[in-house]
Amino acid sequence: MAFSALLFSKKSETNAELATACKAAGIHLDVCDDIFTAIKKGTQQAFSCIFADWSAQPEAGFLLKRARESGPNKSLIAIAIVENDPSATDIRDHRLDFLLHRPVSAAEARDV
């Protein structure tokens, strides 16, 4: 299976930077700025990872929970896009694998 990712963010700058980095890395990226579309895709399609804009709470946490409960995404990688580091409880409870700090640059996104 090719590496594919889902991005849930309402910020166009973030979406553009991540789309550029994913395209350069050969990663298929589905971008959703609407939580209902993101949940539908996250529960029905297989993704290797989900990027969730952590400033969009509680939607971002709910998306990760629902995606992991679905058959195709039980072992996905969760990457939170943050302005500030989330609490240790949030990291543990939402099983966040990586943090991507805003403002997102294409170089930082490539590194992650």
Side-chain angles (χ1 to χ4, degrees):
M1 174 174 89
F3 196 87
S4 64
L6 174 65
L7 167 61
F8 167 62
S9 175
K10 298 176 184 179
K11 299 183 190 294
S12 60
E13 305 84 25
T14 300
N15 297 350
E17 291 293 339
L18 282 171
T20 300
C22 287
K23 184 176 181 182
I27 298 169
H28 173 78
L29 181 68
D30 280 338
V31 179
C32 297
D33 60 5
D34 170 63
I35 189 60
F36 299 108
T37 304
I39 289 173
K40 183 175 181 179
K41 287 184 178 193
T43 57
Q44 295 178 356
Q45 297 175 15
F47 291 99
S48 304
C49 95
I50 291 182
F51 293 95
D53 187 340
W54 215 240
S55 67
Q57 287 298 342
E59 293 96 343
F62 187 68
L63 169 62
L64 292 177
K65 180 181 186 319
R66 294 283 296 148
R68 284 194 170 119
E69 290 173 348
S70 72
N73 294 311
K74 289 190 182 292
S75 61
L76 64 84
I77 296 169
I79 302 173
I81 304 164
V82 300
E83 276 111 22
N84 301 304
D85 288 343
S87 69
T89 303
D90 273 348
I91 291 172
R92 182 189 65 243
D93 289 350
H94 295 286
R95 297 179 4 218
L96 301 177
D97 298 299
F98 298 99
L99 302 177
L100 185 59
H101 290 86
R102 189 174 275 122
V104 175
S105 70
E108 183 183 12
R110 263 192 318 273
D111 291 345
V112 170

